[in-house]
Amino acid sequence: MDRDQLRRLLEAVQRGEAPVDDALEALARPRFTDVPDARVDTHRALRAGIPEVVYAAGKTPTQIVEIARALQAVDQNVLVTRIEPDVASEVCARLQGASYDEVARLLWLGPMDVPPTGKGTIAVISAGTSDLPVVAEAVGVAHRFGNKVEAVGDVGVAGLHRLLAASDVLRSARVLIVVAGMEGALPSVVGGLVDKPVIAVPTSVGYGAAFGGIAALLGMLNSCASNVTVVNIDNGFGAAYVATLINRL
Amino acid sequence: MDRDQLRRLLEAVQRGEAPVDDALEALARPRFTDVPDARVDTHRALRAGIPEVVYAAGKTPTQIVEIARALQAVDQNVLVTRIEPDVASEVCARLQGASYDEVARLLWLGPMDVPPTGKGTIAVISAGTSDLPVVAEAVGVAHRFGNKVEAVGDVGVAGLHRLLAASDVLRSARVLIVVAGMEGALPSVVGGLVDKPVIAVPTSVGYGAAFGGIAALLGMLNSCASNVTVVNIDNGFGAAYVATLINRL
Amino acid sequence: MDRDQLRRLLEAVQRGEAPVDDALEALARPRFTDVPDARVDTHRALRAGIPEVVYAAGKTPTQIVEIARALQAVDQNVLVTRIEPDVASEVCARLQGASYDEVARLLWLGPMDVPPTGKGTIAVISAGTSDLPVVAEAVGVAHRFGNKVEAVGDVGVAGLHRLLAASDVLRSARVLIVVAGMEGALPSVVGGLVDKPVIAVPTSVGYGAAFGGIAALLGMLNSCASNVTVVNIDNGFGAAYVATLINRL
Amino acid sequence: MDRDQLRRLLEAVQRGEAPVDDALEALARPRFTDVPDARVDTHRALRAGIPEVVYAAGKTPTQIVEIARALQAVDQNVLVTRIEPDVASEVCARLQGASYDEVARLLWLGPMDVPPTGKGTIAVISAGTSDLPVVAEAVGVAHRFGNKVEAVGDVGVAGLHRLLAASDVLRSARVLIVVAGMEGALPSVVGGLVDKPVIAVPTSVGYGAAFGGIAALLGMLNSCASNVTVVNIDNGFGAAYVATLINRL
Amino acid sequence: MDRDQLRRLLEAVQRGEAPVDDALEALARPRFTDVPDARVDTHRALRAGIPEVVYAAGKTPTQIVEIARALQAVDQNVLVTRIEPDVASEVCARLQGASYDEVARLLWLGPMDVPPTGKGTIAVISAGTSDLPVVAEAVGVAHRFGNKVEAVGDVGVAGLHRLLAASDVLRSARVLIVVAGMEGALPSVVGGLVDKPVIAVPTSVGYGAAFGGIAALLGMLNSCASNVTVVNIDNGFGAAYVATLINRL
Amino acid sequence: MDRDQLRRLLEAVQRGEAPVDDALEALARPRFTDVPDARVDTHRALRAGIPEVVYAAGKTPTQIVEIARALQAVDQNVLVTRIEPDVASEVCARLQGASYDEVARLLWLGPMDVPPTGKGTIAVISAGTSDLPVVAEAVGVAHRFGNKVEAVGDVGVAGLHRLLAASDVLRSARVLIVVAGMEGALPSVVGGLVDKPVIAVPTSVGYGAAFGGIAALLGMLNSCASNVTVVNIDNGFGAAYVATLINRL
Amino acid sequence: MDRDQLRRLLEAVQRGEAPVDDALEALARPRFTDVPDARVDTHRALRAGIPEVVYAAGKTPTQIVEIARALQAVDQNVLVTRIEPDVASEVCARLQGASYDEVARLLWLGPMDVPPTGKGTIAVISAGTSDLPVVAEAVGVAHRFGNKVEAVGDVGVAGLHRLLAASDVLRSARVLIVVAGMEGALPSVVGGLVDKPVIAVPTSVGYGAAFGGIAALLGMLNSCASNVTVVNIDNGFGAAYVATLINRL
Amino acid sequence: MDRDQLRRLLEAVQRGEAPVDDALEALARPRFTDVPDARVDTHRALRAGIPEVVYAAGKTPTQIVEIARALQAVDQNVLVTRIEPDVASEVCARLQGASYDEVARLLWLGPMDVPPTGKGTIAVISAGTSDLPVVAEAVGVAHRFGNKVEAVGDVGVAGLHRLLAASDVLRSARVLIVVAGMEGALPSVVGGLVDKPVIAVPTSVGYGAAFGGIAALLGMLNSCASNVTVVNIDNGFGAAYVATLINRL
């Protein structure tokens, strides 16, 4: 139950449309559910605005299924991130209605069309084709969380005209996610062109002294554009999560 | 000239209150001004929503004064960060109306009461007394940029009841800045309690394996709370800058 | 022979129940046994209170079997850690009575019910489901070393109410092991809630700037809770070992 | 008020010797006290067994004095760590009864003779003369927290006979603190000789590839002796804190 | 004696204008000169095209003077880098004709007007005012080595229009030196705009995760612009040295 | 279209040999082409002197084919780097005329004999046989970009006579690429022997403290030979790219 | 041809037993031999006392065979290190007389019994069973280079009595190689017990904060025993090489 | 008492020249002496061949004097390393006969002419003038330990002819110490020219990516010359110590 659901329930009680006992039962639900190997935070939607999301890395299919069922039991959509194809395949076989996006490594159990709760557009700008999986995660998550998204790809700083051609997208977004590997310079350049918050996502794209994304991460933390904040390497999910909260303001 | 000033100018032209020639002159100003050793970005207020801010580290008093005058010449407020007392003293002597906050290391040249442009409150939560200079920078910058700020200090995670006693502040803020050194755990705990974006600022407080803020920085980048983004170590300024843009949405 | 066995032997001699010659032979055993590729420290149980434990990584099944037999030859239980399923399978086939726990990667050759020598309970608290293998190692080792254990899992700091619901376990433990990856904040929060020693175990759970457990390790070393000490990344064994010694005091 | 004080108060109430109103007032005290720049955790003695300790680095004399007074106001002893001579001098001038140990950088405001609460002896073993300040901090803190301490210095592993000559101290301690810089090998050697928990303190002693204590820290984290846990570089305070809790068991 | 001097000498011999004995003496000079504490490479001008340059850091004034005199003795200009004001002052007092540039930390003993040997212009582009000392070193060295230099400063990527306004300088240079601290993104952007080699110089400007220039260094090594090579942090000298060799081609 | 092609087109227009309409169409081509997942920089040949090169790592065969076709559509040669055999095989099957060099991991779609545009020779010097793949990449790229190349391999500094035997190659080159792993000392030694720019390529050859090329990278960045600049670890491509630009001067 | 062979040849010439023409031919051999992909340093035996050794990592079987044949052609024994079983198998099939040691990853082409040239014994001391491959490399190389070797294994510092039981071996060696992973403390302890040079070999044995041997490496570099020098991680070969040179003195 | 002294004593007893009681007293001396803050290893000369050396960093003048007196009391020479001028001055004032070398930071209390115990010459080769303090330490220590030393300075690899001019020194040494900062390439080049052990000493000379000697250290650990072992950064003392032991063989 998230804040909107709670509000609707209380209004129904107020209007006499919901029996008090039903409301009581709904409200008396515990704030977490214990399944084997996990204590599912069923209270998170109400407290944090977004239900608990399942991080699949290091989890078995059975663990994921059990957590998902605990979330479904309290009427929440289920989003699973970082789930590899073979695990996803097993989970999908056991959870009716689950869909899987292999590039983004996202599994979803909820309505295909999420009603928009974001007030504007989230732009997802990326430097190179190799950053695509991270972009796909960010775009997929933002969609699932009820945002309109515009993505502009392969506009690395070594060919500025490609980026400048997307000025309209940049200037019209309410919040921007900028994804880049290697030297991670794109957020600084994008940041200098807009007056909105920029969430920078370093990727592990590159080799040698890219050090699996450290070069990009450091570049973004030291951005000379002041409107840039940073999330973990390859963390498209986190960027979309924060962008969602900002877009709801 | 920022967007509001520009809008007002164009409206005055529309109403016939501003002569076209005056407007022309104002609009024809170059987008940067060259002074010795600097090319001041006078276009930034219009493009980025906030005028160029002067980072004082590594600059001489003369360089700072010249940049400040270039900004004043185009009717912009001047904010200088990371300015040490001796440099600030020399700058204040040469720039009439400048005020200096030694704890925050901020120098300001503009109206004492900045009209609020932020829609809600920015909460600045910090872990320990030693983080105070970074907190002061964040609070000072947020004030200068037209925000209402509420600060809660010394609520490190080893005594949770101190933090929980500030729940009202946490829940009512529109965006939160969380400042912590050492293990940098506070943003995760705060992030778990709210449904708003949290900007985490690692500080260089600590010793030994704190590595001048690296431990806190890594902790924040790996936060298990998904609503956390991160800025550079000790970068209270950057956190307040982004919080300002978010608070204007 | 550990200290209890030695004490019983000497008391039996004192009471005249054990022939001096038998005691002599037992006491005259060398303090180590050479097998191919290893010099087994058979004196460790007496000196350190716990027999030598076999670290399987980098060892062949044959080497493990030979060391185990050398320990059995002096009447000691055999615990093997970090042993992969295929190696364990080969070792079990050659050592009668060996049992294997695949999640914990522990192989055991001794009585199923170890008589308790710990005076209280060891609590094993962990942040997420993905930390389970390390938790299992800590729990398994603590059991084999004669402790009562209570485990509370998936109580990461982003949902504090899950942890606070386990207050009874936290407050009643004589020593606590806290296992966490990513930002590793849990030991600080747990440490702030109890007046007992907390042994923090960073795990390699996470990605990107988690750097295989470095982020969690640094966080724990810099804990603002003063009752926290730290062991190596993923070292559930070491944590249980020290907790055992503490629990015997 | 710590747990013993609380117990005595409740027993006095039980016996009718303490008026209920007085007890009420004492028990109704808030769990923290706000002073400028700090929120003092006055509840910590009751919750954690040891009152809040003041970490002086980065704090002004005034801030330290205010925190100290807030602790005194609730009848707690005050221990300040990492306090430099000039700051200590100013604090001592303003806090009657304060004493300062320059080598250990400890300031103390409480009875000179702390009644022993530890059940046995804490041994503090150190590798070299240059480690003395960290040793002094550990010894001083352990004394202030009510422990009997035995210190053995300059017994680095390059001259084993010096260490072995202290076997009695090693074997009779209930818990051991081992302090070493450079390669940090001493905890492993000591750990192999005893059946008690060893708390290893890496120091920043050394040069070049000692990297300010990193070499020693890594050595200790990877100790082949399983009874070793580790605290932060130069953290003699933390080691003594945990040793105190263990020694009370 | 550099290659030009040698050529002239041989031509003079050829023309009968230089006595063979004089030429013999000049050519028979040893290829190095031993002074106390140094073995001066007097052969370098001939072999490498540029005489040995003196790196002053860690050298005493006396050592610098002796090396300078050894170079003068074989008719070479003397350039000293990284020389602090107090050392320079003492050296200037002892070496007639020496001039010192404090911002660039360069000392020069040679003609004020060096005849140009470079075929085109070296452009020195820099990101911020704080990078000035490194820029000054690069510009000063390039001048002393006989190049025409054009410098464009304070054109960091957060305000692209400032850089684009210098397109003419960028496009007309034969080789470019790009100096930047913090995230070090400028070389990538400049590199994408030109078809000439770009030598990137990371600077130690920045704080926190700038790590004294590491962030900029990594950024430049991972540049997505393929025409970028990199020199050491703050190494304006090295950049100018290589640019000189390129400009002579 | 690169600068030479553009020049020929304009000259043909000038001479009346090319119809204005044809020229117009050619010149009006957009400066980039969007294909799925990529925005191909078709303007780069004109702007940077060399067409966009495709970095294959992280790209699917389909993505590579689409980018290649977009480049072919504007009459540009296609060079693909870092392409693994299985991917290359699939790409070759779909792109007529593509050839693949497995050691260099280069795929080429263009004339076998590229007309020379470099004015002199590029020497490629390498330390050991294990560096061969990086050498092959550098040599292959330099050839494709129109340079004459001379390669000297296995002349590591532990057997100087092997290197000195190649003096003629070293001294006659216009620009040198020096490839080395392990301690990366070769560029310093080569640099000291020539008066031309040296581009150093660290390789990931080595083990242990070679740290995947970090040791070599740091060695090269700190070269005591001033004519050395550095590219990323294993970046034979980048070295050849810059050497090409220099060789055209 | 090494120094002994050369001496014998010259003596034979002196005695008139060797025709001058034969000697001439032998002495006129070039100092290196070019094979495809390698320039074999055939002069090394004479110059360095030990022939060139082939480092197999990154080399193909064909490359190894060609280098080996070039060495054989000048009458030198061939030692190949770091050669994996599948590569060794192919090489052995093509080089008659080659023998392979899989644990040590050494391939040898020379007499089984190398005449001793070392004057005393090399002791190889190691900490744990998992270090065996590195030990085997050191022992195997030392044998092939003509030394008497005594190996003592599994004597880690956590059970000192195991090491002290080998005092005779330690004290009678002329030079010692000490191999250890994890915290790498063994060289310090051994170093303190002997008056001979100790060559420390860190191994990559361990996990977590062992960082693939960095912890052991740093420990050894900071050894408080002054008679310790260090080679690269897992470099058993290098240790045996230097020990050989020392043992010949 | 070192081994020679012990041997002479026993021979005197054998010859009847030394009374048994005197010998007894000398031999019964304890193997360490406790002074305040130190446990002096007076047995080291006998066990390790060289008396304990005092590392002054972090020690007070009083501590140094006390340790020195404890060593003098058992007839040992006293060598103090890393002693700063002000400390040395105070120590010299209190210890008659002490002499101080400021460049080497060595204090000596013993005969000016130490009888030679080394069999050959130790060569100390160094790269640059700035390495002089480390060279001086190595040379000074080697002299005090009874070796003949030949030093060749400023022969960095960028001017190979300077090094090759010292071939005689290189080839005639029995063991070589090679000192270098920056890229640390000199030991590889020297190592390739000789058939004796080379002890490499990285120095902290350099800036930027030299990282205080890390670049040189890594270079030396990865040397392609197999006769190189390494000591800690700036550890001239350790190099001379090991060279002494080797030179005595």
Side-chain angles (χ1 to χ4, degrees), chain A residues 157-158 160 182-183 185 188-189 192 207 209-211 215 218-219 221-225, chain E residues 157-158 160 182-183 185 188-189 192 207 209-211 215 218-219 221-225:
Chain A
V157 300
L160 276 184
M182 300 171 85
E183 84 268 60
S188 293
V189 173
Y207 62 90
F211 296 136
L218 294 184
L221 284 169
N222 288 287
S223 176
C224 57
Chain E
V157 300
L160 277 183
M182 301 170 84
E183 84 268 60
S188 293
V189 172
Y207 61 90
F211 295 137
L218 294 184
L221 285 168
N222 288 287
S223 176
C224 57

Side-chain angles (χ1 to χ4, degrees), chain C residues 15-239:
Chain C
R15 288 190 307 267
E17 294 169 5
V20 162
D21 278 0
D22 289 13
L24 206 90
E25 188 177 1
L27 291 169
R29 277 175 185 162
R31 299 198 300 168
F32 58 80
T33 307
D34 278 333
V35 299
D37 301 341
R39 174 162 285 191
V40 185
D41 186 354
T42 50
H43 183 249
R44 194 168 295 179
L46 187 56
R47 191 177 75 248
I50 295 176
E52 178 157 3
V53 172
V54 187
Y55 172 67
K59 294 199 179 69
T60 64
T62 296
Q63 291 170 335
I64 295 169
V65 166
E66 277 163 352
I67 297 171
R69 285 185 177 145
L71 289 166
Q72 284 187 305
V74 293
D75 302 324
Q76 297 189 353
N77 296 331
V78 180
L79 181 63
V80 186
T81 65
R82 299 284 171 115
I83 179 164
E84 297 300 330
D86 53 339
V87 176
S89 163
E90 194 169 338
V91 171
C92 285
R94 292 163 66 183
L95 286 178
Q96 205 173 7
S99 65
Y100 179 60
D101 175 341
E102 182 169 340
V103 174
R105 289 185 295 168
L106 292 173
L107 185 147
W108 173 247
L109 207 57
M112 275 302 105
D113 290 322
V114 181
T117 56
K119 296 184 179 166
T121 299
I122 298 175
V124 180
I125 315 297
S126 57
T129 302
S130 306
D131 298 317
L132 199 61
V134 179
V135 169
E137 188 183 60
V139 169
V141 169
H143 274 143
R144 298 313 186 202
F145 286 173
N147 297 283
K148 200 175 141 208
V149 181
E150 287 207 67
V152 181
D154 200 16
V155 292
V157 300
L160 276 183
H161 60 293
R162 297 180 298 183
L163 174 66
L164 299 177
S167 287
D168 284 357
V169 175
L170 301 183
R171 296 293 301 178
S172 66
R174 207 150 181 268
V175 51
L176 300 97
I177 294 170
V178 183
V179 179
M182 301 171 83
E183 86 266 59
L186 191 58
S188 293
V189 172
V190 170
L193 297 172
V194 302
D195 59 352
K196 296 292 183 305
V198 169
I199 302 168
V201 189
T203 72
S204 51
V205 167
Y207 61 92
F211 296 137
I214 295 181
L217 172 63
L218 294 184
M220 293 170 181
L221 285 169
N222 288 288
S223 176
C224 58
S226 305
N227 52 347
V228 174
T229 59
V230 187
V231 295
N232 196 1
I233 297 165
D234 290 335
N235 190 7
F237 161 71

Side-chain angles (χ1 to χ4, degrees), chain E residues 15-240:
Chain E
R15 290 189 307 265
E17 293 170 4
V20 163
D21 279 359
D22 289 12
L24 206 91
E25 188 177 1
L27 290 169
R29 277 178 186 159
R31 299 198 300 167
F32 58 82
T33 308
D34 280 332
V35 298
D37 303 340
R39 174 163 285 191
V40 185
D41 185 355
T42 50
H43 182 250
R44 193 167 295 178
L46 187 56
R47 190 177 76 247
I50 294 177
E52 179 158 4
V53 173
V54 187
Y55 172 67
K59 293 200 179 68
T60 63
T62 296
Q63 291 170 335
I64 295 168
V65 167
E66 278 163 350
I67 297 171
R69 286 187 176 144
L71 289 166
Q72 286 187 304
V74 292
D75 301 324
Q76 298 190 351
N77 296 332
V78 180
L79 181 63
V80 187
T81 65
R82 300 284 171 115
I83 178 163
E84 298 299 332
D86 52 338
V87 176
S89 164
E90 194 168 338
V91 171
C92 285
R94 294 163 65 182
L95 286 178
Q96 204 173 9
S99 64
Y100 179 60
D101 175 342
E102 181 168 343
V103 174
R105 291 184 295 170
L106 292 173
L107 186 146
W108 173 247
L109 207 56
M112 273 304 104
D113 289 322
V114 181
T117 57
K119 297 183 179 166
T121 300
I122 298 175
V124 180
I125 316 297
S126 56
T129 302
S130 306
D131 299 317
L132 199 61
V134 179
V135 169
E137 188 183 59
V139 169
V141 169
H143 274 142
R144 298 311 186 201
F145 286 172
N147 297 282
K148 199 175 140 207
V149 182
E150 287 206 67
V152 181
D154 201 18
V155 292
V157 300
L160 277 183
H161 60 292
R162 297 179 299 184
L163 175 65
L164 299 177
S167 288
D168 284 357
V169 175
L170 301 183
R171 298 291 303 177
S172 66
R174 207 149 180 265
V175 51
L176 299 97
I177 295 170
V178 183
V179 179
M182 301 170 84
E183 84 268 60
L186 191 58
S188 293
V189 172
V190 170
L193 297 172
V194 302
D195 58 353
K196 294 294 183 304
V198 169
I199 303 168
V201 189
T203 72
S204 51
V205 166
Y207 61 90
F211 295 137
I214 295 180
L217 171 63
L218 294 184
M220 293 170 182
L221 285 168
N222 288 287
S223 176
C224 57
S226 305
N227 53 347
V228 174
T229 60
V230 187
V231 295
N232 196 1
I233 298 165
D234 290 335
N235 189 8
F237 161 70

Side-chain angles (χ1 to χ4, degrees), chain A residues 242 245-246 249, chain B residues 118-125 142 147-150 169-178 190 194-200 227 229 239-248:
Chain A
V242 175
L245 295 186
I246 294 174
L249 288 176
Chain B
K119 296 183 181 166
T121 300
I122 298 175
V124 180
I125 316 297
N147 298 282
K148 201 176 138 203
V149 182
E150 288 206 67
V169 175
L170 300 183
R171 298 291 303 177
S172 66
R174 205 147 182 267
V175 52
L176 300 95
I177 294 170
V178 183
V190 170
V194 301
D195 58 353
K196 295 293 182 305
V198 169
I199 303 168
N227 53 346
T229 59
Y241 191 106
V242 176
T244 297
L245 295 186
I246 294 174
N247 197 24
R248 286 183 184 172

Side-chain angles (χ1 to χ4, degrees), chain H residues 93-112:
Chain H
R94 293 163 65 182
L95 286 179
Q96 206 172 7
S99 64
Y100 178 61
D101 176 342
E102 182 169 341
V103 174
R105 290 184 295 167
L106 292 173
L107 185 147
W108 173 248
L109 207 56
M112 274 304 104

